[in-house]
Amino acid sequence: MNGYSEVLYVLHIALIEIRATERLKKARVFADVVHNVPDMIKAGMAEEEIVEKVMLNANRQGVGDYFLKLFAKAKTE
């Protein structure tokens, strides 16, 4: 993958999870983890730095393992 492909894949899956869940708390957590991704891309931030920031947010919210798996999967897509 090149450019922002991995980050965009993770954002895509997170948005699907937000749409599909019936649990408001899960939707809020996932939204908190990824809501700054578009602005970081727009600012030209390197993908590696975006991944680090997303993972910091994910770990803070207790969903780090899930997002780590998403980033691993993104590398194979």
Side-chain angles (χ1 to χ4, degrees), residues 3 7 9-10 15 18 27 29-30 36-37 39-40 45 55-57 61 64-65 67 69 74:
V7 170
Y9 173 83
V10 170
L15 290 171
I18 290 167
V29 165
F30 276 46
N36 286 321
V37 168
D39 285 338
M40 290 187 276
M45 191 177 291
M55 287 307 303
L56 282 173
N57 287 339
Q61 289 288 357
D65 288 342
F67 277 85
K69 288 176 186 173

Side-chain angles (χ1 to χ4, degrees), residues 50-77:
I50 297 172
V51 170
E52 287 177 21
K53 289 184 180 291
V54 168
M55 287 307 303
L56 282 173
N57 287 339
N59 288 327
R60 180 176 48 81
Q61 289 288 357
V63 291
D65 288 342
Y66 180 80
F67 277 85
L68 194 60
K69 288 176 186 173
L70 281 183
F71 279 113
K73 174 75 173 159
K75 291 180 186 304
T76 66
E77 290 296 311

Side-chain angles (χ1 to χ4, degrees), residues 3-62:
Y4 296 104
S5 297
E6 292 174 22
V7 170
L8 290 172
Y9 173 83
V10 170
L11 177 60
H12 172 78
I13 298 300
L15 290 171
I16 290 171
E17 290 282 352
I18 290 167
R19 180 184 67 195
T21 191
E22 294 183 10
R23 296 182 299 158
L24 182 57
K25 182 175 180 177
K26 179 180 179 181
R28 286 180 174 166
V29 165
F30 276 46
D32 183 66
V33 171
V34 299
H35 77 277
N36 286 321
V37 168
D39 285 338
M40 290 187 276
I41 291 171
K42 191 169 109 177
M45 191 177 291
E47 185 173 43
E48 297 79 18
E49 190 174 352
I50 297 172
V51 170
E52 287 177 21
K53 289 184 180 291
V54 168
M55 287 307 303
L56 282 173
N57 287 339
N59 288 327
R60 180 176 48 81
Q61 289 288 357

